[in-house]
Amino acid sequence: MRVGVYVDGFNLYYGARALSGAAPGWRWLDPRALAQRLVDGPGAAWSGEVERVVYCTARISGAGNEGDQRDQDTYLRALRLAGALDELTLGQYVTRVATAPLAVADRRGRPRLVRADWPLQVRDTSDRDVPSASFMVSVARREEKGSDVNVASHLLIDVLTDRVDAVVVVTNDSDLAFPLAHARTLVPVGTVNPTPGFTAGKLRGEPAEGAGGHWWCRLTAADVGAVALPERIAHLRRPDGW
């Protein structure tokens, strides 16, 4: 069985960081080794040979973090030199200023707006308290754009052109629910949640629907720790702290 594996790089990055406790080595991952480990692992309903590894990410901005940008470039070059992927597709990394109400997380992680209350109160021009007032804040937002679209595009193109017999997608992005649902009508699909949280409900389906043979599993700290690239690849060396 020819298996295509499609990785949302930023989703994997943040998930691997949380799973590993940010211990050295967690960023220096080999996507091909990880792909084969997942396909051969206990969470998979079938096994096969990884035919294609497509890695979708974006180059981060060098504004204010030139060292991080340099380290990421080293990693992306190392992936190519090591043959750890078949295709690298880059989206965009956007930095902007956003304005939003000040909020804190409730017990379930949902936003709860912060209202004016003592010791920080708001008064109107008549010197009267405004207890229902909210606070607006401006924050710097750094966002990756395009990886979900790139993952979906590569996956569907490969399935529709009969390039692969089954697919595995590494993401917990619910925006991919529709393309994954369509892919399940044509081939077996494995979905790997790379984060410590619950798998997004929209990504779930039924194992026997469509082509059948679908499965879902979660990445583990053991997976992250088992698939590091060599410390040196040609002239490149793993960045300090990676």
Side-chain angles (χ1 to χ4, degrees), residues 18-168:
L19 288 168
S20 68
W26 70 272
R27 280 181 281 199
W28 198 241
L29 293 183
D30 182 335
R32 189 179 301 281
L34 176 62
Q36 194 65 61
R37 178 181 172 90
L38 293 170
V39 170
D40 294 338
W46 35 258
S47 61
E49 191 66 30
V50 173
E51 178 79 10
R52 268 173 67 70
V53 177
V54 178
Y55 191 87
C56 300
T57 188
R59 279 197 169 90
I60 64 174
S61 170
N65 57 355
E66 292 182 11
D68 289 348
Q69 185 186 57
R70 215 168 27 246
D71 290 347
Q72 187 197 35
D73 283 342
T74 297
Y75 178 58
L76 296 180
R77 283 183 286 148
L79 292 181
R80 290 191 177 100
L81 284 172
L85 46 74
D86 295 289
E87 187 135 8
L88 172 65
T89 300
L90 298 176
Q92 292 184 323
Y93 189 77
V94 179
T95 57
R96 62 187 178 88
V97 175
T99 302
L102 182 66
V104 296
D106 67 11
R107 287 185 300 176
R108 298 181 61 184
R110 299 171 301 188
R112 178 172 61 82
L113 295 185
V114 175
R115 300 293 185 182
D117 196 4
W118 292 108
L120 182 62
Q121 184 58 275
V122 175
R123 289 184 173 178
D124 63 20
T125 55
S126 300
D127 203 31
R128 292 174 298 191
D129 291 343
V130 186
S132 61
S134 59
F135 301 97
M136 301 299 294
V137 296
S138 291
V139 296
R141 293 288 300 273
R142 298 176 175 87
E143 299 176 322
E144 172 273 330
K145 298 288 188 181
S147 285
D148 52 354
V149 174
N150 291 332
V151 166
S153 299
H154 280 291
L155 185 150
L156 290 176
I157 289 169
D158 287 351
V159 168
L160 294 172
T161 58
D162 195 32
R163 195 168 188 177
V164 296
D165 304 312
V167 302
V168 174

